[in-house]
Amino acid sequence: HWLGEQLSKHKLFSLLLPRSKHGLTKEFHRIKVWPGQALFQEGEAGDSCYIIASGRLRLSTEGGPTKELGPGDCVGIEQLINDDIVRSSTCTGIEMAICWYISQQALL
């Protein structure tokens, strides 16, 4: 399963036992992000992490450099482990993207 493989690649999720990873994949939900659509905004509170399955997204900061993300990349993982952290960048669709997301609540 693609999502389980992706979890193994990311430091936070890679520490889980295989059985736990399988159970965790059931807590992820699929979302589409359209070109120009903001997945989240710099400075807002966040409680979800996203793994890109297809398409491309752009991370940008006010007055700072941008970074393009694609399949297998993960964004927002900081908000899963610390709810006092606000989004440090804006994430916007470059082309239609499919992402899998999990909320902090699902991990409790």
Side-chain angles (χ1 to χ4, degrees):
H1 186 264
W2 182 88
L3 187 54
E5 290 175 13
Q6 296 307 307
L7 293 181
S8 296
K9 294 178 182 178
H10 296 284
K11 192 180 278 189
L12 175 68
F13 301 118
S14 68
L15 302 173
L16 298 172
L17 297 172
R19 176 186 273 169
S20 298
K21 276 184 215 156
H22 178 71
L24 189 60
T25 60
K26 295 176 184 177
E27 299 298 327
F28 276 81
H29 302 280
R30 190 172 167 234
I31 186 172
K32 288 183 182 178
V33 182
W34 301 99
Q37 177 186 353
L39 184 58
F40 53 79
Q41 299 280 339
E42 181 177 0
E44 71 183 17
D47 72 343
S48 298
C49 167
Y50 303 85
I51 298 176
I52 303 167
S54 65
R56 292 184 307 137
L57 302 175
R58 176 178 291 117
L59 286 179
S60 59
T61 58
E62 184 78 31
T66 63
K67 178 180 180 181
E68 288 192 16
L69 304 171
D73 288 330
C74 182
V75 292
I77 205 160
E78 299 85 6
Q79 282 74 30
L80 285 182
I81 54 178
N82 186 343
D83 57 3
D84 292 331
I85 297 177
V86 297
R87 301 285 187 191
S88 60
S89 58
T90 296
C91 187
T92 309
I94 298 172
E95 61 187 38
M96 203 280 284
I98 301 293
C99 299
W100 289 93
Y101 75 94
I102 189 167
S103 70
Q104 189 181 60
Q105 184 67 33
L107 297 177
L108 301 177

